[in-house]
Amino acid sequence: GAGVSQSPSNKVTEKGKDVELRCDPISGHTALYWYRQRLGQGLEFLIYFQGNSAPDKSGLPSDRFSAERTGESVSTLTIQRTQQEDSAVYLCASSLAGGARDYGYTFGSGTRLTVV
Amino acid sequence: GDSVTQMEGPVTLSEEAFLTINCTYTATGYPSLFWYVQYPGEGLQLLLKATKADDKGSNKGFEATYRKETTSFHLEKGSVQVSDSAVYFCALRDSSYKLIFGSGTRLLVRP
């Protein structure tokens, strides 16, 4: 597609429920990233995909968080047993190449998750 | 590890005022440096970048110069507009894949 697409744009869920957040990167972008942005704070790295593999999952805050990517395209971030501290905007970004220093990312508009 | 430090906001200016948002970084290598902007209700957009020392990135009247000696990448604009009101993020990317962001600086421009 023309840009990075994320869905849903907003999600309100009850504490303890599972949620799935979807990211559709720019066609041909092999690198995909998930970040979290809590209210009034900076961006917190969660996970990086190169193709369908995730060489860096170091930012996932707990084992309730997982992510997968299929077909070198769509990625899904899953949060199990959501907690109120999971409330944030979850941003997805993609890039032409994961290791190129001068490539920035293209970000999606994010999914605003509210856990009540 | 690598890190980025930005001046705290909010920064409030009148239209046509001069803008500086300070950004300094810590990195073991020779990173590329970026400024991203997030307008209200929108995702992050790349504003400008610089990939080596003394490079100047520029876009939409904004400029930033990569200063290796002071490890800085301050964002400047000579005359801000109300439409520049947004959150600005400084970021670095080293030889790996990861972008490391500062905490963001909110700019509010009043008419």
Side-chain angles (χ1 to χ4, degrees):
Chain A
V4 178
S5 177
Q6 291 188 247
S7 61
S9 55
N10 281 286
K11 176 73 175 179
V12 179
T13 189
E14 291 181 353
K15 179 180 172 181
K17 300 281 190 185
D18 298 351
V19 295
E20 284 190 353
L21 312 180
R22 176 187 167 106
C23 173
D24 202 340
I26 291 174
S27 178
H29 279 195
T30 58
L32 186 146
Y33 314 82
W34 284 97
Y35 282 79
R36 178 169 71 176
Q37 185 179 22
R38 288 188 164 129
L39 185 64
Q41 298 186 20
L43 277 74
E44 178 186 5
F45 169 81
L46 297 179
I47 188 169
Y48 155 63
F49 285 92
Q50 178 58 43
N52 291 338
S53 64
D56 188 348
K57 307 178 183 178
S58 63
L60 295 177
S62 75
D63 59 6
R64 296 187 295 105
F65 288 72
S66 63
E68 64 175 16
R69 187 179 185 194
T70 56
E72 296 196 350
S73 180
V74 173
S75 176
T76 303
L77 177 69
T78 301
I79 309 173
Q80 296 179 310
R81 304 182 303 281
T82 52
Q83 304 294 315
Q84 288 186 329
E85 65 262 26
D86 300 334
S87 296
V89 176
Y90 289 82
L91 291 165
C92 177
S94 68
S95 173
L96 270 172
R101 286 180 62 250
D102 58 349
Y103 289 135
Y105 301 170
T106 301
F107 279 88
S109 297
T111 294
R112 182 177 298 279
L113 175 66
T114 304
V115 181
V116 297
Chain B
D2 295 353
S3 66
V4 175
T5 303
Q6 289 181 237
M7 62 187 291
E8 287 200 23
V11 173
T12 304
L13 296 173
S14 298
E15 205 165 23
E16 299 183 2
F18 185 87
L19 168 71
T20 300
I21 299 178
N22 291 338
C23 170
T24 57
Y25 67 90
T26 301
T28 53
Y30 300 94
S32 292
L33 301 173
F34 304 83
W35 277 100
Y36 280 81
V37 59
Q38 186 175 34
Y39 297 104
E42 299 184 17
L44 274 78
Q45 302 173 25
L46 178 63
L47 180 60
L48 54 84
K49 67 179 182 182
T51 59
K52 60 184 187 296
D54 300 324
D55 269 1
K56 178 185 286 188
S58 61
N59 187 24
K60 299 182 180 180
F62 290 89
E63 292 183 339
T65 301
Y66 190 140
R67 301 285 188 200
K68 185 170 178 292
E69 64 276 13
T70 55
T71 62
S72 65
F73 193 55
H74 304 323
L75 183 68
E76 296 181 336
K77 186 174 186 182
S79 176
V80 293
Q81 306 299 312
V82 172
S83 58
D84 294 326
S85 298
V87 181
Y88 293 82
F89 291 91
C90 186
L92 72 80
R93 184 171 184 176
D94 60 14
S95 57
S96 72
Y97 45 83
K98 194 184 298 185
L99 267 178
I100 297 169
F101 287 87
S103 57
T105 302
R106 181 176 299 278
L107 170 66
L108 177 61
V109 181
R110 293 178 171 164

